Amino acid sequence: MATCQNNEAHAALKNSLMTRVPPLLTDLYQFTMAYAYWRAGRHREPAVFELFFRDNPFGGGFSLFAGLHDCLMFLENFAFSDEDVGYLRSVLPANTDPDFFLYLKELDCSSVSVSAVPEGSVVFARVPLLEVSGPLAVVQLLETSLLCLVNYASLVCSNAARFRLAAGPRRRLMEMGLRRAQGPDGGLTASRYTYIGGFDLTSNALAGRLFGIPVAGTIAHSYVTSFSSLEEVWPQTLVPVGGDSSIDFISLVKGWVSSVCQLLGSKTNLIREGELAAFLSYAIAYPHNFLPVIDSYSVTCSGLLCFCAVALALCELKYQPLGVRLDSGDLCRQSLEVRRVFKECSKKFSVPQFESLVIVGSNSVSEQSLAELNKKDNEIDVVGVGTHLVTCTSQPSLGCVYKLIEVRNQPRMKMSEDPEKSTLPGRKSVYRLLDADGHPQMDLICLSEEAAPTAGVSLNCYPLVQDTGSVQSITPAQVTSLRLDVFSCGQITYPISSASESREHAQMSLQRLHPHHKRLQGAHNYTVALSERLNALISDIRRGNSKGSNFLLSN
Amino acid sequence: MATCQNNEAHAALKNSLMTRVPPLLTDLYQFTMAYAYWRAGRHREPAVFELFFRDNPFGGGFSLFAGLHDCLMFLENFAFSDEDVGYLRSVLPANTDPDFFLYLKELDCSSVSVSAVPEGSVVFARVPLLEVSGPLAVVQLLETSLLCLVNYASLVCSNAARFRLAAGPRRRLMEMGLRRAQGPDGGLTASRYTYIGGFDLTSNALAGRLFGIPVAGTIAHSYVTSFSSLEEVWPQTLVPVGGDSSIDFISLVKGWVSSVCQLLGSKTNLIREGELAAFLSYAIAYPHNFLPVIDSYSVTCSGLLCFCAVALALCELKYQPLGVRLDSGDLCRQSLEVRRVFKECSKKFSVPQFESLVIVGSNSVSEQSLAELNKKDNEIDVVGVGTHLVTCTSQPSLGCVYKLIEVRNQPRMKMSEDPEKSTLPGRKSVYRLLDADGHPQMDLICLSEEAAPTAGVSLNCYPLVQDTGSVQSITPAQVTSLRLDVFSCGQITYPISSASESREHAQMSLQRLHPHHKRLQGAHNYTVALSERLNALISDIRRGNSKGSNFLLSN
């Protein structure tokens, strides 16, 4: 079913997923419950769970749904190994019937069906994103793994979308958070889903290999500080583009150091020889890819001067240097100074491309500091983001839940002491109602047996807000069904899209959303509402009138 | 070398680690730098990096160091696959010399040595925790993976230690954060390191299997809400402990429902039949392990009454019910009410063990809410913690860094525009100085060639504080070396301890720490200081006087 670029890529992804998410990576109580169902002969009863989150993350007005492909691959390969079952035998209570372990050994998802919102879609709190139906014990066992796969993927994807909005469409964004992520797989997941959320590049090589995301990177401070003298530069020559004999590159660069210092009125005796050697050596190794970090010592006294000298020498040999990276201090102020120097060099030495060299900035960039970039003068073209992006510092968990909504075709509802923790009973359809401009206007949650709303026809509904109960009338200009059938009889029935296809879908989905729902601060609330029939079912169950929500009337 | 419980467990851990952390899981720039070193013939130069963090997490006075064992297994197995190298060939610049890829294929850590603080030790900001030495290109390539393995492990381990301190020694703590963790491996890592940090139990079955951590769990709300009628209970009988004929357990429990309602003046018609059926069914499946969640509908009107009836029936058949779990609302208030009811039942029905049934509480528990538990009246024996523990909401990243400190036996230092981002040059030894009471008093960072400080002998040092430079004199009562040699010539040279051994070490290390450094709020600063010689080296390098930190004096 998969329409990935090729089967090999799909196999690599599947392997990676299966080793990262074996079915034993779940809560123990899933097994004690499965046993209790099995013991009571209820394990094959048809049951339905749904997955949703209760609040849009980061105090915002929307979220992106992500993690679906991982869920599908997990379901496709769900099976316990002999070691898993052996371990469970050792930790479940001693009186567990041994036949239960034979049952576990044979479990798979061949009787499970899933409908879901497509990967990368704009979604909202309380809307059921994933509906999982199948034998009670099996769909119960899937809970923790599915939550784990959707929770962080959707969170970090939504975070990336906010960074993208904060940065504006012009600036390129690079994810470089692997070293600060919550575990190795947190890093891998972040690289994939921040790309889908709107980032352009990642530093993560494995993410590049597994997901086909564009990767980038040149040098770190350690490379610069590892050099101390020009004697360490080797080879010392470079062949010009289109030329055939080597030029003494060190002498050439030394000449440019003098010229640049003279132009800028700088002192050569504050230039770090090691920094110049590092830039020289890197430029000789990768003359087409010269983009060093220039703040290992002092940007203005050394790093920038070394860069200009080496880059001008490269230009003289017909190479195209790329630019610089700033990694500390006031990025805005420094970028202005760097651009000013680039322009002076461009003019003085008649090197037009020098004006538009790339300036990369990376220094604990947060959503807020990115938004401030847009207000201050600066010349930063590419922003590298790590910690705040991948760990989602302002809200590190989305809090998805997975709730039972139907057993044996009877609706089920949890009524908690916290009204917030109550669930919506019964199997549902979810419709997105669009206004005349094509903007999503409301998500309407109906019982699955209800007819779909009709464009142009008014309907009554009950918005899910703090003071529920008040009816509202709405006439949609357009109606779309939010979920698709994605898994059936153990097979993925939905084309697995590549990371770049999901990214495109996410960006289109975001584009359709009205700007007032996308505000980073003070976004308008998007309406999620219940149909009249669903609302009536909830009232019935609360009153204990519904079949299947009996009170114990007599002993 | 590994002294794990058994080789099989070590192999399982290694496999898990290798699949989660392949060497390609790193930043692309590690490869461009490695190429530039290789191209310049510098790749085999001896180099030393060190790993540290800049601030103690969570605004606290200490941290726990963790992740070492993962690092060691990563190093032991470091090698690129043909697929890895093929991918790198496709993304590195086209002019990369093909022989470089042959070099990558043959790389391993057989020339790498590591000294490190033992897993689970109390550590402080700015102290080099890991020193990695070996061929320049190889130790550079290790950077991102080592950071990724130490960063989150140490962070979540330190977070767990704070939860442990907040909870006090009496209460048992259970980690149950898998579904809210940042990715599947975030969950697995959290289970291991929160246990080392002081938790007692985890819900994570895979963590139980891989790390031997005690696992626990019984039922969720979905199990309760999946039942609607007593007709779903099957089998309906139970054999008493030591007995040989089955008893009609439903009738027995119905009798107890009447007795309990009579005792408490409760109405049987508010009891949910489905909740009673769920408890009955679970108790019949696991009569020795009865600990249901009792807030699916209403604790006082239904859940608690159902529990008491089923548990008293179990007691009548000589089983020992375990207790209850509360998962919403005001846990303190509810636990007092639950205990009051347990005591009444115990007295009225002469069931002494009913008084001391376990009450588990779990509802978005944070460090702060845990600390407040200690101030309020409550009867909670076990606390289950998820989101706030595993995602470290108050500070989701530790910010470890990996810095070059020596190349070809010459000290290296990065002098940044941010003084905070400067590094400490040269190869070092780290000593922990203890006071007369055996409490750690200061960590002293010396150059490795210096003699160790002597107990009872005064020495001068330079504390690392904002206004550095002021000398301080100290006379330690006891001196210990903080780091050990843990890896040499491709081999782990340090006994890999089990999770429970590391946990014991962490708890001992914490016990030794003076209480004023362990305060969750307003902890005293622990002193980390430089030796006179290290301080002098830094001054020399800053002035450009040191060999290897040349300024470019002439062109």
Side-chain angles (χ1 to χ4, degrees):
Chain A
M1 252 326 137
T3 62
C4 242
Q5 291 135 313
N6 56 54
N7 288 338
E8 201 185 312
H10 181 70
L13 281 180
K14 203 162 82 172
N15 272 334
S16 160
L17 200 274
M18 282 170 63
T19 50
R20 291 182 294 126
V21 198
L24 197 63
L25 185 65
T26 187
D27 294 310
L28 187 73
Y29 74 5
Q30 310 295 3
F31 298 103
T32 52
M33 287 190 276
Y35 176 68
Y37 287 136
W38 180 87
R39 179 86 169 86
R42 297 191 58 203
H43 54 295
R44 290 204 183 88
E45 283 182 8
V48 188
F49 281 80
E50 68 187 17
L51 187 153
F52 61 94
F53 57 89
R54 295 194 180 103
D55 295 294
N56 294 315
F58 313 115
F62 72 95
S63 180
L64 291 179
F65 173 64
L68 176 61
H69 295 165
D70 288 347
C71 290
L72 294 177
M73 280 188 283
F74 171 74
L75 295 172
E76 201 184 18
N77 296 287
F78 183 85
F80 293 100
S81 69
D82 289 349
E83 290 75 25
D84 292 339
V85 174
Y87 171 73
L88 289 171
R89 195 191 289 272
S90 76
V91 289
L92 289 179
N95 64 329
T96 307
D97 185 330
D99 285 351
F100 175 64
F101 298 108
L102 299 178
Y103 163 71
L104 280 185
K105 270 190 194 173
E106 283 163 16
L107 269 194
D108 61 27
C109 285
S110 54
S111 307
V112 172
S113 293
V114 179
S115 82
V117 174
E119 183 98 307
S121 302
V122 165
V123 293
F124 304 95
R126 302 298 301 251
V127 173
L129 307 171
L130 210 68
E131 185 195 83
V132 183
S133 57
L136 179 55
V138 179
V139 289
Q140 178 66 65
L141 279 170
L142 302 174
E143 173 178 31
T144 311
S145 318
L146 294 181
L147 283 172
C148 187
L149 289 172
V150 170
N151 244 324
Y152 177 59
S154 296
L155 181 76
V156 80
C157 192
S158 306
N159 201 27
R162 291 176 62 91
F163 275 76
R164 177 79 274 169
L165 290 169
R170 192 184 63 84
R171 274 195 194 88
R172 299 191 80 202
L173 293 175
M174 171 160 164
E175 177 272 320
M176 36 183 268
L178 177 57
R179 63 188 62 195
R180 303 290 168 82
Q182 296 201 343
D185 176 69
L188 191 61
T189 308
S191 300
R192 176 181 176 95
Y193 294 104
T194 56
Y195 178 67
I196 293 176
F199 271 59
D200 303 288
L201 298 159
T202 180
S203 68
N204 183 339
L206 187 63
R209 192 188 129 201
L210 288 177
F211 312 130
I213 303 174
V215 287
T218 56
I219 63 170
H221 294 116
S222 57
Y223 180 82
V224 178
T225 56
S226 81
F227 286 82
S228 55
S229 139
L230 292 176
E231 287 163 24
E232 292 156 329
V233 179
W234 194 90
Q236 308 189 331
T237 60
L238 197 57
V239 179
V241 174
D244 49 13
S245 63
S246 292
I247 305 285
D248 176 349
F249 196 59
I250 299 196
S251 301
L252 190 68
V253 166
K254 280 183 175 175
W256 278 109
V257 169
S258 299
S259 308
V260 168
C261 285
Q262 205 175 352
L263 170 69
L264 302 173
S266 305
K267 294 176 188 159
T268 56
N269 66 356
L270 290 178
I271 291 179
R272 295 279 173 171
E273 185 175 337
E275 193 165 33
L276 185 62
F279 291 5
L280 264 162
S281 196
Y282 192 79
I284 289 167
Y286 280 139
H288 294 286
N289 300 79
F290 186 54
L291 193 156
V293 63
I294 61 170
D295 66 336
S296 298
Y297 301 101
S298 160
V299 171
T300 47
C301 298
S302 179
L304 181 56
L305 306 173
C306 293
F307 170 81
C308 289
V310 175
L312 286 162
L314 284 173
C315 289
E316 193 180 332
L317 303 187
K318 310 291 181 213
Y319 290 99
Q320 285 271 23
L322 301 182
V324 298
R325 180 160 72 97
L326 297 165
D327 189 44
S328 57
D330 180 340
L331 299 180
C332 287
R333 185 185 54 71
Q334 291 181 93
S335 71
L336 291 171
E337 170 65 7
V338 168
R339 182 70 68 205
R340 189 188 64 73
V341 168
F342 286 171
K343 286 185 174 164
E344 266 194 69
C345 290
S346 169
K347 201 170 146 193
K348 170 74 178 181
F349 305 118
S350 306
V351 190
Q353 71 265 40
F354 229 76
E355 247 188 44
S356 52
L357 287 168
V358 167
I359 302 177
V360 183
S362 56
N363 183 20
S364 301
V365 175
S366 63
E367 178 192 309
Q368 205 182 349
S369 63
L370 204 49
E372 278 165 15
L373 266 192
N374 276 343
K375 294 178 199 150
K376 276 194 209 168
D377 270 357
N378 70 83
E379 289 284 346
I380 299 168
D381 306 294
V382 181
V383 184
V385 194
T387 313
H388 293 295
L389 176 68
V390 304
T391 66
C392 304
T393 26
S394 63
Q395 184 189 322
S397 181
L398 181 56
C400 285
V401 292
Y402 181 84
K403 295 295 175 187
L404 180 70
I405 54 165
E406 192 180 284
V407 181
R408 276 185 309 178
N409 306 312
Q410 293 302 316
R412 284 285 160 263
M413 179 175 178
K414 174 176 167 259
M415 277 164 285
S416 166
E417 310 256 321
D418 295 348
E420 271 264 304
K421 283 196 169 184
S422 292
T423 60
L424 301 174
R427 220 162 164 160
K428 308 174 191 82
S429 297
V430 186
Y431 300 98
R432 182 154 291 175
L433 313 186
L434 308 184
D435 65 17
D437 298 324
H439 293 305
Q441 186 177 18
M442 172 190 285
D443 282 6
L444 182 72
I445 310 177
C446 305
L447 288 171
S448 58
E449 63 260 31
E450 292 185 65
T454 312
V457 177
S458 154
L459 62 91
N460 286 339
C461 61
Y462 291 80
L464 274 176
V465 283
Q466 293 298 31
D467 51 342
T468 38
S470 65
V471 67
Q472 187 181 315
S473 169
I474 187 167
T475 306
Q478 213 182 316
V479 177
T480 60
S481 181
L482 202 59
R483 291 195 313 229
L484 303 170
D485 292 329
V486 295
F487 191 86
S488 178
C489 305
Q491 301 283 321
I492 300 175
T493 58
Y494 166 76
I496 293 267
S497 45
S498 67
S500 93
E501 288 162 345
S502 298
R503 182 176 189 270
E504 216 168 294
H505 174 69
Q507 301 314 307
M508 255 176 43
S509 188
L510 271 168
Q511 218 154 32
R512 267 194 223 111
L513 194 60
H514 193 285
H516 62 214
H517 295 306
K518 287 189 279 195
R519 283 183 200 152
L520 298 178
Q521 308 291 331
H524 285 203
N525 280 332
Y526 183 84
T527 307
V528 174
L530 308 182
S531 70
E532 288 193 291
R533 281 187 53 192
L534 177 53
N535 193 61
L537 173 64
I538 293 171
S539 306
D540 275 359
I541 292 181
R542 281 197 192 281
R543 282 195 299 267
N545 293 343
S546 168
K547 196 181 160 199
S549 63
N550 306 348
F551 288 103
L552 190 69
L553 292 172
S554 64
N555 293 311
Chain B
M1 254 321 140
T3 63
C4 241
Q5 291 136 311
N6 57 55
N7 287 339
E8 201 186 313
H10 182 69
L13 281 181
K14 203 162 82 174
N15 272 333
S16 159
L17 200 276
M18 281 170 64
T19 50
R20 290 183 296 126
V21 198
L24 197 63
L25 185 65
T26 188
D27 293 310
L28 186 73
Y29 75 6
Q30 309 296 2
F31 298 102
T32 52
M33 288 190 275
Y35 176 69
Y37 287 137
W38 179 88
R39 178 87 169 84
R42 296 191 59 205
H43 53 295
R44 289 203 184 86
E45 283 181 7
V48 188
F49 281 80
E50 67 189 17
L51 187 152
F52 60 95
F53 57 90
R54 295 194 179 104
D55 295 293
N56 293 316
F58 313 114
F62 72 95
S63 179
L64 291 179
F65 173 64
L68 176 61
H69 295 164
D70 288 346
C71 290
L72 294 176
M73 280 188 285
F74 171 74
L75 295 171
E76 202 183 18
N77 296 288
F78 183 85
F80 293 101
S81 70
D82 289 348
E83 290 76 26
D84 291 339
V85 175
Y87 170 72
L88 290 171
R89 194 191 290 270
S90 75
V91 289
L92 289 179
N95 66 328
T96 306
D97 186 329
D99 285 352
F100 174 64
F101 299 107
L102 299 177
Y103 163 73
L104 280 186
K105 271 191 194 171
E106 282 163 17
L107 270 194
D108 61 27
C109 284
S110 55
S111 306
V112 172
S113 293
V114 179
S115 82
V117 173
E119 183 98 307
S121 302
V122 164
V123 293
F124 304 95
R126 303 295 303 250
V127 173
L129 306 171
L130 210 67
E131 186 195 82
V132 183
S133 57
L136 179 54
V138 180
V139 289
Q140 178 67 64
L141 280 171
L142 302 174
E143 174 178 31
T144 311
S145 319
L146 294 180
L147 283 172
C148 187
L149 289 173
V150 170
N151 245 322
Y152 178 58
S154 295
L155 181 75
V156 79
C157 192
S158 306
N159 201 27
R162 291 177 62 90
F163 274 77
R164 177 81 272 166
L165 289 169
R170 190 184 65 83
R171 271 193 197 90
R172 302 191 79 200
L173 293 176
M174 171 160 167
E175 178 271 319
M176 37 182 268
L178 176 56
R179 64 187 62 194
R180 303 290 168 82
Q182 296 200 345
D185 176 69
L188 192 62
T189 308
S191 300
R192 178 182 175 96
Y193 293 105
T194 56
Y195 178 67
I196 294 176
F199 271 58
D200 304 288
L201 298 159
T202 181
S203 68
N204 183 340
L206 187 63
R209 191 189 129 198
L210 288 177
F211 311 131
I213 303 174
V215 286
T218 56
I219 62 171
H221 295 116
S222 56
Y223 179 81
V224 178
T225 55
S226 81
F227 284 82
S228 55
S229 138
L230 291 177
E231 286 163 25
E232 291 157 330
V233 178
W234 193 90
Q236 308 191 332
T237 59
L238 197 57
V239 179
V241 174
D244 49 14
S245 62
S246 291
I247 303 284
D248 176 349
F249 196 58
I250 298 196
S251 300
L252 190 67
V253 166
K254 282 184 175 175
W256 278 110
V257 169
S258 298
S259 308
V260 168
C261 285
Q262 204 177 351
L263 170 68
L264 302 172
S266 305
K267 293 177 189 156
T268 55
N269 65 355
L270 289 179
I271 292 180
R272 295 278 172 173
E273 185 175 337
E275 193 165 34
L276 186 63
F279 291 6
L280 263 162
S281 195
Y282 193 78
I284 289 169
Y286 280 139
H288 294 285
N289 298 79
F290 187 54
L291 193 157
V293 63
I294 60 169
D295 65 336
S296 298
Y297 300 100
S298 161
V299 171
T300 47
C301 298
S302 179
L304 181 55
L305 305 174
C306 293
F307 171 80
C308 288
V310 175
L312 286 162
L314 284 173
C315 290
E316 193 180 332
L317 304 187
K318 310 292 179 210
Y319 290 100
Q320 284 272 22
L322 301 182
V324 297
R325 179 159 74 96
L326 296 164
D327 189 43
S328 57
D330 180 340
L331 299 180
C332 287
R333 184 186 54 72
Q334 290 181 92
S335 72
L336 291 171
E337 170 65 7
V338 168
R339 182 70 71 207
R340 189 189 64 73
V341 168
F342 287 171
K343 287 186 173 162
E344 266 194 69
C345 289
S346 168
K347 200 169 145 197
K348 170 74 178 182
F349 305 119
S350 306
V351 190
Q353 70 265 40
F354 228 76
E355 246 187 47
S356 51
L357 288 169
V358 167
I359 301 177
V360 182
S362 56
N363 183 18
S364 301
V365 174
S366 64
E367 178 192 311
Q368 205 182 348
S369 63
L370 205 49
E372 277 165 17
L373 266 192
N374 276 342
K375 294 179 200 149
K376 276 195 209 166
D377 270 357
N378 71 82
E379 288 285 345
I380 299 168
D381 305 294
V382 181
V383 183
V385 194
T387 312
H388 293 296
L389 176 67
V390 304
T391 65
C392 303
T393 25
S394 63
Q395 185 190 322
S397 182
L398 182 55
C400 285
V401 292
Y402 181 85
K403 295 294 175 187
L404 180 70
I405 54 167
E406 194 180 283
V407 181
R408 278 185 309 178
N409 305 313
Q410 293 302 316
R412 284 286 162 264
M413 179 173 176
K414 172 175 167 262
M415 277 164 286
S416 165
E417 310 256 322
D418 295 347
E420 270 265 303
K421 283 195 168 184
S422 292
T423 60
L424 301 174
R427 219 162 165 158
K428 308 174 191 83
S429 297
V430 186
Y431 300 99
R432 183 155 288 177
L433 312 185
L434 308 183
D435 66 16
D437 299 324
H439 293 305
Q441 188 176 17
M442 172 188 284
D443 282 6
L444 183 72
I445 309 177
C446 304
L447 288 171
S448 58
E449 63 260 32
E450 292 184 65
T454 312
V457 177
S458 154
L459 63 91
N460 287 339
C461 61
Y462 291 79
L464 274 176
V465 282
Q466 294 297 33
D467 51 341
T468 38
S470 65
V471 67
Q472 185 180 317
S473 169
I474 186 167
T475 307
Q478 214 182 314
V479 176
T480 60
S481 181
L482 202 59
R483 289 196 312 230
L484 304 170
D485 292 330
V486 295
F487 191 86
S488 179
C489 306
Q491 301 283 322
I492 299 174
T493 59
Y494 165 77
I496 294 267
S497 44
S498 66
S500 95
E501 287 161 346
S502 298
R503 182 175 189 270
E504 216 167 292
H505 174 69
Q507 301 314 307
M508 257 174 43
S509 187
L510 272 168
Q511 216 154 33
R512 268 192 222 111
L513 193 61
H514 194 285
H516 61 214
H517 295 307
K518 285 188 281 196
R519 284 185 200 150
L520 298 179
Q521 307 292 329
H524 285 203
N525 280 333
Y526 183 85
T527 307
V528 174
L530 308 180
S531 70
E532 288 194 290
R533 281 187 54 193
L534 176 53
N535 192 61
L537 173 64
I538 291 170
S539 306
D540 275 1
I541 292 181
R542 281 197 190 279
R543 283 193 299 266
N545 292 343
S546 168
K547 196 182 159 199
S549 64
N550 305 348
F551 288 104
L552 190 69
L553 292 172
S554 65
N555 295 310

